[in-house]
Amino acid sequence: MSQLRVAGIVPESVVDGPGFRYAIFTQGCRHNCPGCQNPQTHDFEGGYVVDTDDLFAEMMEDPLIKGMTFSGGDPFEQPVPLAELAARAHAAGKDIVTYTGYTYEQLLAKAQHEPAVMDLLRETDVLIDGPFILAQRNLELKFRGSDNQRVIDVRQSLASGEVVTFEFE
Ligand code: SF4
């Protein structure tokens, strides 16, 4: 059982990654991207606290769910409960998409002094990284907001030591 501070939950989302997804919007973000669509998620004292057991149980009640999405806020501000939750979801055959305002390279650096960051990276199948940049906003991008944001195959990237990206179909 772990506690997670969230801004909200969308139990059946089709806009936060491929397939039907149990989307968790974490509370707390320090990136302050101009043009952010969710400024109410920035305050680290805002939102509400949930038990990750309850989130997992709710997801498992819905047979249509392909996987979990962690968005925000920035999920990498709460890597400990999210890595645990992602591991349980993987064990149940679900995949994990994680959004972050940090770049992949920044997360690797952060993981040097915060091991849970690597735990969450290892439990992430697809990482959509980098801040939202208003000047690079592109409404045609699938599941992301601006051209600088990459869709990263984390497993291949960690294995190869290079950033492996792809496009959602
Ligand atoms: S990382 Fe996301 S939630 Fe945070 S300020 Fe940027 S767009 Fe907003």
Side-chain angles (χ1 to χ4, degrees):
M1 176 176 101
S2 291
Q3 305 263 287
L4 180 70
R5 185 171 285 274
V6 301
I9 308 290
V10 178
E12 217 175 65
S13 168
V14 292
V15 296
D16 297 297
F20 286 101
R21 312 198 63 83
Y22 189 87
I24 299 171
F25 295 85
T26 60
Q27 182 72 28
C29 182
R30 25 184 129 251
H31 300 294
N32 276 315
C33 309
C36 173
Q37 302 287 304
N38 301 305
Q40 74 283 0
T41 66
H42 297 181
D43 180 1
F44 281 80
E45 303 299 321
Y48 57 99
V49 174
V50 290
D51 186 327
T52 54
D53 283 352
D54 295 338
L55 301 181
F56 182 76
E58 186 180 46
M59 176 190 70
M60 293 304 290
E61 280 172 12
D62 185 345
L64 293 177
I65 293 295
K66 179 177 185 299
M68 267 185 173
T69 292
F70 302 148
S71 189
D74 197 314
F76 278 93
E77 303 299 352
Q78 300 181 80
V80 173
L82 289 175
E84 285 174 17
L85 183 56
R88 289 180 73 185
H90 270 142
K94 309 297 182 185
D95 61 19
I96 303 293
V97 173
T98 305
Y99 286 78
T100 180
Y102 294 102
T103 63
Y104 176 74
E105 292 82 357
Q106 286 173 328
L107 289 176
L108 292 183
K110 195 169 158 64
Q112 299 286 322
H113 54 88
E114 208 180 331
V117 168
M118 183 53 75
D119 294 341
L120 180 53
L121 271 177
R122 288 192 196 287
E123 293 293 345
T124 292
D125 297 289
V126 177
L127 182 77
I128 298 166
D129 83 329
F132 170 69
I133 298 179
L134 191 55
Q136 295 184 40
R137 183 169 130 177
N138 182 347
L139 296 177
E140 293 184 2
L141 295 172
K142 203 162 185 184
F143 306 133
R144 60 202 163 105
S146 56
D147 283 320
N148 62 295
Q149 293 169 325
R150 300 171 293 184
V151 182
I152 297 175
D153 181 324
V154 179
R155 199 150 295 132
Q156 281 197 44
S157 298
L158 289 174
S160 68
E162 303 198 348
V163 184
V164 179
T165 63
F166 66 99
E167 291 292 334
F168 286 120
E169 292 179 359

